[in-house]
């Protein structure tokens, strides 16, 4: 899918008019800025992440767990067109293939640069890992703060949401428990880093 920049710009002009803000000098360049931002925010719309994973496949030397923790992300909620952001942790148990860590970051970037729901992002990530790498199991944990909850409605600014998606051998069992243990260790390290930064 290709975002039509000019139609987006025209739609924002119309939206501002509908809000009674047409001609407001503060908003002279707002439509252009939103149109340009949409090209980046929606860059993953219609993009299948599986081919990139297949192109980056590397023969696996063993079948040990692979976990990439604390991947920062931001996306746009499909319900209210408001942003949400947070952290994603991705794990998989390889079959015959692994991939470079950069490909995992690219996978997350593709699945979040689109109108999305938090739960659906996790589903898309694990499905891509199973299909693209022939992984035996895959799991994604998405932690996010939703502006549609923080800025409107309940206005719960300190509330966050955690969703889990899993496939194959990581749906249950010891391997799944090990993933959560390792993610929790990373969360403890992250909290300690934040506390040190606040003290400086």
């Amino acid at each position: 899918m290709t975002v039509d920049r000019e139609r987006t710009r025209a739609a924002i002009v119309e939206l501002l008019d509908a809000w009674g803000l047409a001609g407001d000098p503060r908003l002279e360049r707002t439509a252009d800025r939103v149109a340009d931002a949409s090209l980046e925010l929606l860059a993953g719309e219609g993009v299948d992440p599986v081919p990139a994973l297949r192109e980056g496949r590397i023969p696996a030397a063993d079948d040990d767990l692979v976990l990439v923790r604390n991947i920062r992300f931001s996306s746009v909620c499909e319900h209210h067109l408001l942003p949400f952001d947070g952290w994603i942790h991705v794990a998989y148990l390889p079959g015959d293939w692994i991939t470079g860590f950069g490909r995992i970051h690219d996978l997350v970037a593709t699945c979040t640069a689109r109108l999305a729901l938090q739960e659906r992002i996790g589903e898309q990530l694990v499905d891509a890992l199973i299909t693209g790498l022939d992984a035996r199991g895959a799991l994604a944990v998405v932690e996010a703060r939703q502006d549609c909850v923080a800025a409107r409605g309940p206005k719960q600014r300190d509330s966050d949401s955690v969703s889990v998606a899993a496939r194959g051998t990581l749906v249950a069992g010891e391997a799944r428990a090990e993933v959560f243990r390792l993610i929790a260790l990373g969360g403890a390290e992250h909290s300690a880093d934040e506390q040190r930064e606040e003290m400086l």
Side-chain angles (χ1 to χ4, degrees):
M1 187 199 84
T2 301
V3 174
D4 187 325
R5 184 195 179 282
E6 292 310 309
R7 288 183 64 190
T8 301
R9 182 190 181 284
I12 297 301
V13 169
E14 176 63 23
L15 178 64
L16 294 174
D17 189 15
W19 287 350
L21 296 169
D24 189 320
R26 299 172 303 161
L27 308 175
E28 183 179 355
R29 297 183 57 202
T30 296
D32 285 305
R33 291 188 181 105
V34 174
D36 289 339
S38 69
L39 300 176
E40 181 177 349
L41 295 173
L42 302 178
E45 282 287 354
V47 178
D48 182 358
V50 169
L53 284 176
R54 286 181 174 157
E55 290 170 7
R57 294 197 304 192
I58 304 165
D62 53 48
D63 57 2
D64 290 339
L65 176 73
V66 178
L67 169 64
V68 183
R69 298 184 308 201
N70 301 327
I71 304 172
R72 283 299 313 236
F73 84 95
S74 61
S75 191
V76 179
C77 172
E78 65 188 51
H79 286 169
H80 299 95
L81 301 185
L82 290 172
F84 64 100
D85 68 289
W87 306 88
I88 292 177
H89 317 283
V90 178
Y92 69 97
L93 281 168
D96 294 328
W97 307 100
I98 57 174
T99 192
F101 296 128
R103 297 274 179 169
I104 301 298
H105 288 271
D106 291 344
L107 170 63
V108 170
T110 297
C111 292
T112 56
R114 54 182 64 162
L115 298 183
L117 295 177
Q118 176 177 338
E119 300 90 337
R120 192 173 296 148
I121 290 171
E123 299 289 333
Q124 291 169 349
L125 292 171
V126 295
D127 286 342
L129 288 167
I130 293 293
T131 304
L133 297 181
D134 297 324
R136 293 178 293 127
L139 185 146
V141 178
V142 184
E143 307 173 39
R145 291 190 177 181
Q146 312 274 342
D147 268 17
C148 60
V149 172
R152 57 163 298 281
K155 296 188 177 178
Q156 293 295 315
R157 296 189 176 277
D158 296 323
S159 175
D160 57 14
S161 306
V162 178
S163 58
V164 179
R167 297 285 186 274
T169 55
L170 291 180
V171 168
E174 293 182 7
R176 179 186 174 98
E178 177 69 0
V179 171
F180 283 111
R181 188 184 72 81
L182 292 171
I183 290 173
L185 287 175
E189 293 166 4
H190 178 67
S191 297
D193 290 340
E194 286 183 337
Q195 291 173 3
R196 283 193 290 271
E197 288 176 4
E198 290 174 359
M199 293 174 61
L200 295 177

